[in-house]
Amino acid sequence: MPMRLSFLVILAALAALAGCAAAPAPAPAPPAAGALVIAHRGHSAERPEHTLEAYRVAIALGADMVEPDLVMTRDGMLVARHENEIGGTTDVGERPEFASRRTTRTIDGAPVTGWFTEDFTLAELKTLRARERIPQLRPTDHDGRYEVPTWEEIVALVAEAAEREGRTIGLVPEIKHGSYFASIGLPMEDALLDAIQAHPYTRRAPVWIQSFEVANLRALRARLGPARGNVRLLQLLGAPDGRPWDAASAGRDLTYGAMATPAGLREVAGYADGIGPPSRLVIPLDADGALGAPTALVRDAHAAGLLVMPYTFRPENAFLPPALAAGGPPQARNPEGSVAEIRAHLDAGIDGFFSDDVALGRQAVDGRFEE
């Protein structure tokens, strides 16, 4: 039997683990024989993130799932951008016809200045071209080549690739700033569910909807029924002292740290199927900048019936634990250090992970079981 299990076999193992949420005091399930490699915004280590090209390369490199962050246009279309402010990820700042649209908005309690997707129609956004978000660390030779993609275009790309390659490729859309968009009359949750239902591929392929907020995931859980059993929910966690914006704006004293406790995880399991924590909540760094001992988070989450899919593994020195970084400048790539970091988390029992470099994520998973 090949050491790399098929995506469907892995998914079945993960589904069995998620299903234990309803059982009383479930015992921790053993980690799956493989973990899902989720292309974080596509193959964003080498292509401008959230472009069809980034997703296409990620799939070709073997991503099990691709992740689009979703925001809304003025005319109610779901598009993929890291944020609704697009000054840093498109050429909008160089377009004189849009200069007057530069403004300041309060997003999740903080002032942000720039250009916002909700001020553009889809047709206007399609005239812009994507660019590298962190040019000081990553190549810019693909700047100006690609459009801002819609959710429908991403699904069509994934569906065609799945048929061509003869394998299932999942999608992990993130609802960005859900309560903000709802407050300006552009709620995304129903629009996303309708879009999932509208395409034959997303009516059957694995789709994990994720959010840093809580109320929208609870509402989605209420709407999802047996007919949408392929759609699961992922509660994202931020820094321990951070708070979900919808809870903070409602005056609730809820922190991500509290959500990561055994009691908090049992609460999350009442509406979500998994958690997406920062990788440092799984394995913190010690005083020397090396990976320390794993925390109890994976064990506690599994005991609550939740899958664990941490973010984000990146290959550049700037993002690696200091003890794993290679010599050279911050932008230098260190494949060995990145693979070592991912494998330490695999050994800690994670069920999947978000990676900017799909090839290294694939190497970490496949090579781990072949050695």
Side-chain angles (χ1 to χ4, degrees):
M1 178 179 179
M3 295 309 291
R4 178 184 172 189
L5 301 183
S6 72
F7 178 79
L8 290 177
V9 172
I10 295 173
L11 187 67
L14 298 187
L17 174 57
C20 71
L36 299 177
V37 179
I38 304 170
H40 185 243
R41 311 174 193 168
H43 185 59
S44 51
E46 297 181 316
R47 296 291 189 277
E49 63 190 32
H50 294 313
T51 60
L52 291 181
E53 175 68 6
Y55 298 123
R56 185 179 295 111
V57 173
I59 292 168
L61 291 172
D64 294 310
M65 310 185 85
V66 299
E67 185 224 21
D69 295 337
L70 297 179
V71 293
M72 192 79 89
T73 68
R74 188 174 69 195
D75 47 348
M77 301 298 294
L78 292 166
V79 296
R81 289 289 87 192
H82 174 51
E83 298 286 349
N84 54 328
E85 198 290 301
I86 55 174
T89 60
T90 72
D91 61 356
V92 66
E94 300 172 1
R95 305 291 291 274
E97 66 270 33
F98 298 129
S100 63
R101 299 194 197 181
R102 189 173 188 268
T103 187
T104 299
R105 296 272 166 77
T106 299
I107 310 296
D108 294 356
V112 180
T113 299
W115 292 263
F116 297 85
T117 58
E118 61 267 29
D119 294 330
F120 291 77
T121 65
L122 178 60
E124 290 172 330
L125 276 182
K126 282 294 188 180
T127 69
L128 304 178
R129 292 298 177 266
R131 58 175 43 176
E132 174 55 49
R133 185 176 60 86
I134 44 176
Q136 68 276 22
L137 297 176
R138 289 180 172 167
T140 59
D141 54 320
H142 284 262
D143 283 5
R145 299 189 189 184
Y146 313 120
E147 297 180 354
V148 174
T150 65
W151 165 257
E152 287 80 5
E153 288 170 334
I154 296 168
V155 171
L157 171 74
V158 172
E160 189 277 331
E163 181 177 2
R164 181 181 66 251
E165 297 193 10
R167 66 185 181 97
T168 300
I169 302 164
L171 294 108
V172 191
E174 180 184 344
I175 296 173
K176 301 287 291 193
H177 309 300
S179 58
Y180 166 77
F181 274 101
S183 75
I184 61 172
L186 293 170
M188 287 192 283
E189 290 76 12
D190 285 350
L192 178 55
L193 284 186
D194 290 345
I196 290 170
Q197 186 64 22
H199 198 286
Y201 186 76
T202 46
R203 288 200 296 268
R204 57 181 173 81
V207 178
W208 284 74
I209 301 175
Q210 50 176 336
S211 176
F212 279 101
E213 297 189 352
V214 175
N216 58 352
L217 292 182
R218 289 184 178 276
L220 286 167
R221 173 57 65 206
R223 286 205 54 188
L224 291 170
R228 300 192 187 192
N230 65 307
V231 181
R232 297 179 180 273
L233 304 179
L234 188 71
Q235 176 66 67
L236 296 172
L237 303 178
D241 60 349
R243 295 195 290 169
W245 174 246
D246 59 326
S249 61
R252 293 182 59 203
D253 189 23
L254 176 66
T255 67
Y256 291 119
M259 296 171 71
T261 64
L265 292 167
R266 289 193 293 272
E267 180 74 15
V268 171
Y271 61 88
D273 303 286
I275 58 169
S279 62
R280 297 294 173 258
L281 290 187
V282 176
I283 305 180
L285 300 184
D286 64 20
D288 297 322
L291 293 172
T295 68
L297 181 61
V298 172
R299 182 193 66 207
D300 293 342
H302 284 176
L306 294 165
L307 307 182
V308 182
M309 302 185 183
Y311 65 89
T312 304
F313 296 98
R314 297 178 165 112
E316 295 87 2
N317 278 339
F319 301 113
L320 289 168
L324 288 178
Q331 66 269 27
R333 286 171 54 87
N334 181 2
E336 295 81 6
S338 184
V339 169
E341 182 184 21
I342 295 170
R343 286 184 177 175
H345 287 75
L346 293 172
D347 290 340
I350 64 172
D351 305 289
F353 59 94
F354 293 83
S355 177
D356 280 9
D357 191 305
V358 175
L360 296 180
R362 193 78 270 154
Q363 179 183 340
V365 172
D366 297 344
R368 176 170 176 261
F369 295 105
E370 291 169 0
E371 293 173 351

